Amino acid sequence: TQSRSSAASDVYKRQVLWSKVMNLDSPVDPMYGFGDFSVAMLDDTNAFISYSVYDLTGVGRDAFVVTSMNVNNGINNWSKLYFLAAGGGISLRKAMASANGDIIVTASDYNGTGTGVIFMLDGNGNYNQSKRFTYSNHANFPYNTINTLDGGFVHVSEVGWNEVLVVKTDKFFDPSCPDVDSLYGGLTANIIADSSYFGVIDTTYM
């Protein structure tokens, strides 16, 4: 028979430490809906969440936001809105943390080129560099990225509908097959205000 103290301990372990709603203020369109979520730890205390949004600036455009938060208390460190420096829309794929705490974002650029792009941000959300991969002019490359033990990355995508493309790069995104790579114009970042709030009702499902 389970003791009362043991049962109480089990209940405590299932309790939610904190919960919150993520809200973003202008110029993010609140009616557009967010999507393409990724989350990863940057260090022992801080994590980031990335998600696609619609930016109402000017004629409007697809963009994405990265929010950094303290995982111990849920307080946001910063939120930044990113869009192409050259204008046009961008479709977020996935984001991950590199071994040294940078944020790696993979996306597809639909600004007339239809190519895959990788962006590197530092742990404070500042833009570092980007590369465009133009293999077969395929917008889905790179679809996913992982860290490798030598400090570089492996990127994977589809080619057409029945082949898989894998490219190994170093930490600067320089690939093993240079003909698929070109420099890219980069990102513009704006710090934005958020109106996130705590106290979301939580239900634990068994």
Side-chain angles (χ1 to χ4, degrees):
T1 303
Q2 189 179 29
S3 68
R4 180 176 299 179
S5 60
S6 176
S9 176
D10 288 344
V11 170
Y12 176 77
K13 291 177 182 178
R14 293 196 298 266
Q15 288 181 343
V16 174
L17 299 181
W18 55 263
S19 56
K20 65 186 298 185
V21 165
M22 300 286 293
N23 282 336
L24 297 174
D25 297 334
S26 180
V28 172
D29 185 354
M31 304 303 295
Y32 181 79
F34 304 155
D36 307 305
F37 296 95
S38 295
V39 59
M41 294 295 295
L42 290 170
D43 51 44
D44 292 341
T45 302
N46 300 296
F48 77 86
I49 302 171
S50 64
Y51 40 101
S52 58
V53 299
Y54 192 76
D55 177 11
L56 293 172
T57 303
V59 297
R61 58 195 165 195
D62 292 321
F64 67 91
V65 168
V66 176
T67 296
S68 169
M69 68 169 55
N70 183 309
V71 297
N72 295 320
N73 54 31
I75 296 175
N76 289 359
N77 299 317
W78 49 263
S79 291
K80 292 186 178 182
L81 172 71
Y82 299 88
F83 51 90
L84 294 178
I90 185 169
S91 176
L92 182 66
R93 292 288 181 180
K94 187 175 181 179
M96 55 168 283
S98 70
N100 65 350
D102 289 329
I103 301 171
I104 310 300
V105 180
T106 61
S108 294
D109 171 10
Y110 293 109
N111 188 28
T113 58
T115 54
V117 191
I118 303 177
F119 302 104
M120 178 182 287
L121 315 173
D122 67 20
N124 293 313
N126 301 310
Y127 169 74
N128 277 344
Q129 62 172 317
S130 57
K131 289 290 181 74
R132 178 173 58 187
F133 290 79
T134 56
Y135 187 90
S136 300
N137 201 35
H138 204 280
N140 278 346
F141 182 76
Y143 190 82
N144 201 354
T145 296
I146 62 170
N147 292 298
T148 54
L149 293 178
D150 61 1
F153 306 95
V154 167
H155 317 277
V156 64
S157 181
E158 61 185 355
V159 181
W161 298 104
N162 58 359
E163 295 179 312
V164 176
L165 173 66
V166 181
V167 174
K168 171 68 172 72
T169 69
D170 63 17
K171 63 181 180 180
F172 302 110
F173 302 148
D174 290 326
S176 55
C177 39
D179 55 300
V180 307
D181 176 77
S182 60
L183 294 173
Y184 194 71
L187 285 173
T188 299
N190 288 337
I191 297 177
I192 56 176
D194 65 68
S195 50
S196 304
Y197 59 91
F198 289 89
V200 184
I201 297 175
D202 176 83
T203 301
T204 302
Y205 291 90
M206 302 302 292

